[in-house]
Amino acid sequence: GKRTSAPPHTDKQDVIVMQTTGKKFWRVYAPTDPNRKPLADPFARGKGEDDLPLYTLQESGELLLETTLEAGDVLFVPAGFPHTTGTVVGEDEPEETSVHMTFNIDTHVWDLDYLSARRMALRRACVKDTALGQSREEDNRYVGKVNELSRELWDDLLEVLPLGFLDEAPSEEAGVESVTQELMRVAESVDPETFGQVESSVWKETVERLREHGMELLEIHRDMYLAAIEEGRTRDAEDAMTAHLEKKDEEGGKRKTLSPERMQRLSLFRVQRYYEKINAAKDKLVEWSYAGTAKDSSASGGAATLPDNWAFTMPVKVGDDVEADLGGAFFPATVTRAAGNKFDVKFFDGDVESGLDRSMLKLLKPPNLAGEDDVDTSNMTPKQLKRWKKQQEKKKKKQNS
């Protein structure tokens, strides 16, 4: 057998391994120090372009487990723990096919950890993450500044939400209130400044939304597995009904064939409808995070007073109607992109202008009269920005109807 059939690597999921046939040799190491390689994803070490050679683990890593699994044995490998496998057999032992099954617990994949919850809450509150960055959806939140934090705080951030969080009636320790308090504690420890810019209600709202998201994904997976069980029963029934025909075929030397319809059902776990539902659920969570409003620091029970020069100083966002300075004259336009203090606009005749300063835009309506969400679009991808614009258009139509 091969001494190393799977080179050292880490996984984003907790993995439960069940050896079904033959033997497999396993080595499991303690997680590597993220500070040593901040730009490496601790949940994807040894994958892609990342290098995690075995000798580095042997020299500086902590070997936690070295064992050989035999048929019927079960092993649990937590996410982020480097491991390697081999199919070594003794000199006097005949080679035997080694097969094991893996069951993944996708907690991090489902955004059910405090790092993901913090990012969602900041985004929902339209607060730029100046402490850790990686706020865009396509950014890998597990690389960069987060890996430069103290190990204790890093552990707190990457800790998964408690067991039982997705139960119908979670315990007090796994309930929304307890998880919210822990999220707020961790977020404040990471950066008090960004923490203070988020309304306390947003932290709880984020936890509630993540619980709703996780329960939705559980239901999709439940439906998928129930469909698999039903498929098994269908096959058994079909086999029983055609057993006499198959016996004749065997006696006549004919090979057993599968009908096209049954062949289509063989890849049940890869059917598109389940993955489409999972992707749709993830997209809804992202859309929700971008649909929040900024904290109103001026709210004190009365209406805020607008400054005299509000048209040139108040915040401007995508979709706002403005007059833009074009060669000393102002022309009607619509803001199409906002990035910090720079803006792109589209004029009434279709012409566009990019990188205009805020002083070159005259806002036509005060923000408190515009009736739209104040959303920072600078970190949105083109796809997310397009989706957000459609949402704003729907809101406008609903308000005008």
Side-chain angles (χ1 to χ4, degrees):
K2 296 181 181 179
R3 185 156 192 83
T4 305
S5 57
H9 66 280
T10 62
D11 294 313
K12 197 172 185 178
Q13 306 94 337
D14 294 326
V15 175
I16 298 174
V17 179
M18 179 182 293
Q19 188 70 24
T20 58
T21 303
K23 301 178 181 180
K24 187 152 290 182
F25 179 68
W26 285 77
R27 287 195 186 97
V28 182
Y29 295 84
T32 57
D33 184 357
N35 269 271
R36 292 187 176 182
K37 202 172 182 180
L39 295 181
D41 184 341
F43 296 124
R45 296 302 315 273
K47 296 179 177 179
E49 298 180 358
D50 183 68
D51 189 28
L52 185 64
L54 181 59
Y55 72 84
T56 61
L57 291 174
Q58 293 173 331
E59 292 175 358
S60 58
E62 179 185 356
L63 180 63
L64 301 177
L65 179 68
E66 189 173 40
T67 188
T68 299
L69 297 185
E70 300 185 9
D73 290 340
V74 177
L75 175 66
F76 175 71
V77 183
F81 279 60
H83 53 277
T84 182
T85 65
T87 53
V88 177
V89 296
E91 294 182 2
D92 300 330
E93 297 181 47
E95 282 202 29
E96 184 181 5
T97 300
S98 177
V99 179
H100 71 268
M101 298 175 62
T102 59
F103 300 87
N104 296 332
I105 303 175
D106 293 338
T107 315
H108 297 291
V109 177
W110 289 7
D111 297 313
L112 298 179
D113 58 38
Y114 289 100
L115 176 62
S116 302
R118 175 183 175 274
R119 182 167 79 158
M120 287 285 174
L122 292 182
R123 189 187 290 166
R124 179 73 175 173
C126 302
V127 175
K128 186 175 182 179
D129 190 355
T130 55
L132 300 183
Q134 305 299 85
S135 56
R136 297 179 305 173
E137 189 58 27
E138 67 269 26
D139 292 337
N140 185 345
R141 58 192 175 279
Y142 299 109
V143 303
K145 293 181 180 179
V146 63
N147 293 329
E148 298 174 358
L149 298 172
S150 69
R151 187 54 186 263
E152 181 180 1
L153 184 52
W154 186 87
D155 286 338
D156 287 344
L157 261 180
L158 271 68
E159 177 66 31
V160 300
L161 304 187
L163 184 66
F165 178 65
L166 302 182
D167 288 352
E168 290 289 344
S171 64
E172 183 177 347
E173 294 77 13
V176 169
E177 294 295 338
S178 295
V179 174
T180 301
Q181 290 302 313
E182 177 64 7
L183 172 59
M184 294 175 68
R185 182 192 71 79
V186 173
E188 186 173 20
S189 299
V190 172
D191 181 38
E193 183 177 345
T194 52
F195 171 78
Q197 296 178 51
V198 180
E199 295 278 7
S200 58
S201 60
V202 173
W203 298 107
K204 182 176 181 180
E205 184 185 14
T206 300
V207 173
E208 291 173 335
R209 183 63 184 87
L210 284 174
R211 184 170 185 271
E212 178 185 334
H213 170 67
M215 295 181 73
E216 182 178 3
L217 290 178
L218 274 181
E219 289 183 4
I220 295 172
H221 283 75
R222 179 203 61 192
D223 292 344
M224 182 170 66
Y225 289 120
L226 287 176
I229 294 173
E230 184 61 31
E231 171 64 17
R233 291 171 177 167
T234 300
R235 293 183 188 182
D236 289 342
E238 290 175 347
D239 289 342
M241 293 175 62
T242 59
H244 63 291
L245 299 176
E246 292 174 3
K247 185 175 181 180
K248 289 182 178 180
D249 288 342
E250 290 174 2
E251 292 173 351
K254 294 183 180 180
R255 296 180 61 185
K256 181 179 178 180
T257 59
L258 293 175
S259 66
E261 187 271 338
R262 191 170 185 182
M263 289 178 66
Q264 183 67 26
R265 299 197 325 252
L266 283 177
S267 55
L268 177 70
F269 283 93
R270 297 183 183 276
V271 292
Q272 196 65 24
R273 68 178 183 272
Y274 293 111
Y275 290 97
E276 287 176 350
K277 289 180 179 179
I278 291 172
N279 290 332
K282 291 181 178 180
D283 287 344
K284 282 195 299 183
L285 180 64
V286 173
E287 290 174 9
W288 173 88
S289 71
Y290 279 115
T293 57
K295 179 178 180 180
D296 184 5
S297 57
S298 65
S300 57
T305 302
L306 288 173
D308 293 337
N309 61 341
W310 63 265
F312 292 95
T313 58
M314 296 296 287
V316 173
K317 55 187 179 298
V318 172
D320 279 347
D321 294 323
V322 298
E323 287 183 351
D325 186 348
L326 191 62
F330 285 83
F331 297 90
T334 301
V335 178
T336 58
R337 183 172 182 271
N341 199 42
K342 298 292 184 180
F343 303 86
D344 298 349
V345 300
K346 183 175 182 179
F347 291 97
F348 65 97
D349 60 358
D351 287 344
V352 296
E353 193 70 26
S354 303
L356 298 180
D357 291 328
R358 175 63 186 90
S359 60
M360 299 175 69
L361 301 180
K362 180 181 179 181
L363 193 59
L364 299 183
K365 291 186 295 185
N368 63 326
L369 300 179
E372 296 178 355
D373 293 339
D374 184 13
V375 177
D376 179 8
T377 63
S378 60
N379 287 326
M380 291 188 186
T381 65
K383 182 178 179 181
Q384 292 166 348
L385 185 59
K386 183 177 180 181
R387 184 189 302 137
W388 183 84
K389 287 180 181 178
K390 288 183 177 179
Q391 290 178 334
Q392 299 309 305
E393 291 173 1
K394 289 181 180 178
K395 287 183 180 180
K396 285 183 179 179
K397 290 180 179 178
K398 190 173 182 180
Q399 291 171 354
N400 295 332
S401 61

